[in-house]
Amino acid sequence: MVKVTPVPAAETRATVTSDAVLDAALTLFARFGYHGTALSQIAEMLGVRTPSLYNHMRSKQELLRSIVDRTTSGVLADFQTATDGLTDPVERLRSASLVYALRHATHRREAIVVNRDTASLDEPHRTELQDRRREHEHALRQIISDGVEAGVFQVDTPALASFAIREMCVSIARWFREDGPLPPDQVAEQYSRFALRIAGCTRDSAT
Amino acid sequence: MVKVTPVPAAETRATVTSDAVLDAALTLFARFGYHGTALSQIAEMLGVRTPSLYNHMRSKQELLRSIVDRTTSGVLADFQTATDGLTDPVERLRSASLVYALRHATHRREAIVVNRDTASLDEPHRTELQDRRREHEHALRQIISDGVEAGVFQVDTPALASFAIREMCVSIARWFREDGPLPPDQVAEQYSRFALRIAGCTRDSAT
DNA sequence: TTGCGATACGAATGAGCGTTAGCTAGCCTC
DNA sequence: GAGGCTAGCTAACGCTCATTCGTATCGCAA
């Protein structure tokens, strides 16, 4: 058999962690999409050959699943801590839309992947994910319905306002640039105000 | 040489047009994404073998390009006819957002593909497309800036309001269902009202 | 110093992809 | 009825991809 094993010089060997793989995957999935990204690109980004990735992951699918899981959990957690203790629908909507907008300015890659490549998840995880997103959607819609009932919001169809607010925030991930003129928190603040306007908030609209 | 050519019975042969190919591609690209869709799926949807598609198209890329071209042209044309002759910023924004929202409720597949798979376009067409989208974006932003100057709109950053309005409308394509409770024109009308609210329209906000 | 676990590597595999080539059946026109 | 155009088909090519296997190396602990 052949015995020649040329072996790269010791200093050229890279070493890599699971988190590094996940982070590189996140960047590339966000740019090219799940199906548009090859494992070889992830490996190249880390200075490693493709098969070496398998020391840090089980499969390409699992990378996507990890990204999606981690992100949707974060969204729900954000929502809980943002609305916990608040009873006024106006304050609840202000706070919920603020953290949601902020997350999409500060976690752009995650947002893009989750919103674009959900369909590439294998079952049953795709359905699980959709359920968790629906949970957030219904929670937001409930705030609006409560506000309408309390007379502080004015919308014909709460579901429409809820969709509009959510997707408006999600889209921040698509245009926001870290080196742009506005920092994330100021963008989030303005978007939070947009959210109250969409809901037809009759109070406090100048804040 | 082999001469056996089993030949399917005459009635099992399908016949297909360029438009049918484009339409099937549209459906599948919208569902699975450009990279997530195989030509074999398009062929199967049409009841035809994969190579037969090449009688009606030049390449997979060309399919995407056609879809994107046609759609962005439509958006710009919509905008022109919707705002032509209107000078009041309020009416211009109302009309522009109405047709934009309506288009995304009635041309869902196109919207999804254009917004998700733009990145899969080869150069130079990707840059061309982005330029045309920017054209629409700037036109909308100009309406808002005009309205702010005229004192009928109130926003801190017109660009943010413009992004919010556009992406809110785009997202209709993601949740709208034809068999849902609201017809496209009613959804568009409510979204048009949301757009005026985002802009901080001080007039006529109950209409 | 030795041994072991973690991790990188090259080589290979099998599947699926977009695309091309060459052939053939059906339809329209003459 | 003959001939040609249209549009289908099978076969095959070359490429890329995700994944597996066996091996070599490195760093650390005994």
Side-chain angles (χ1 to χ4, degrees), chain A residues 100-118:
Chain A
Y100 198 57
L102 186 62
R103 163 174 283 274
H104 285 85
T106 55
H107 295 69
R108 296 178 46 226
R109 299 173 302 169
E110 289 86 337
I112 289 171
V113 171
V114 168
N115 281 279
R116 193 223 273 127
D117 293 319
T118 286

Side-chain angles (χ1 to χ4, degrees), chain B residues 165-191:
Chain B
I165 290 171
R166 271 171 49 92
E167 298 283 354
M168 169 185 82
C169 291
V170 166
S171 72
I172 294 174
R174 251 170 266 137
W175 60 260
F176 186 79
R177 294 291 172 266
E178 282 160 36
D179 54 356
L182 285 178
D185 59 330
Q186 285 185 32
V187 170
E189 202 196 330
Q190 290 198 47
Y191 266 67

Side-chain angles (χ1 to χ4, degrees), chain A residues 92-202:
Chain A
R92 283 171 66 81
L93 180 57
R94 191 203 310 281
S95 181
S97 57
L98 187 74
V99 294
Y100 198 57
L102 186 62
R103 163 174 283 274
H104 285 85
T106 55
H107 295 69
R108 296 178 46 226
R109 299 173 302 169
E110 289 86 337
I112 289 171
V113 171
V114 168
N115 281 279
R116 193 223 273 127
D117 293 319
T118 286
S120 303
L121 265 184
D122 288 348
E123 292 291 6
H125 303 92
R126 199 179 69 217
T127 313
E128 276 176 28
L129 162 75
Q130 284 172 337
D131 287 350
R132 273 204 281 181
R133 298 180 83 188
R134 230 188 302 272
E135 197 179 319
H136 180 255
E137 205 275 309
H138 284 143
L140 195 74
R141 191 189 301 187
Q142 191 60 53
I143 295 178
I144 295 172
S145 297
D146 292 346
V148 169
E149 216 167 314
V152 292
F153 292 156
Q154 283 189 325
V155 288
D156 288 352
T157 318
L160 255 62
S162 167
F163 282 134
I165 290 170
R166 270 170 50 92
E167 299 282 355
M168 169 185 81
C169 293
V170 166
S171 72
I172 294 174
R174 253 169 265 136
W175 60 259
F176 186 79
R177 295 290 172 266
E178 283 160 35
D179 54 357
L182 285 177
D185 59 328
Q186 285 185 31
V187 169
E189 203 197 329
Q190 289 198 47
Y191 265 69
S192 173
R193 236 150 39 209
F194 291 160
L196 290 177
R197 286 177 172 183
I198 288 176
C201 181
T202 53

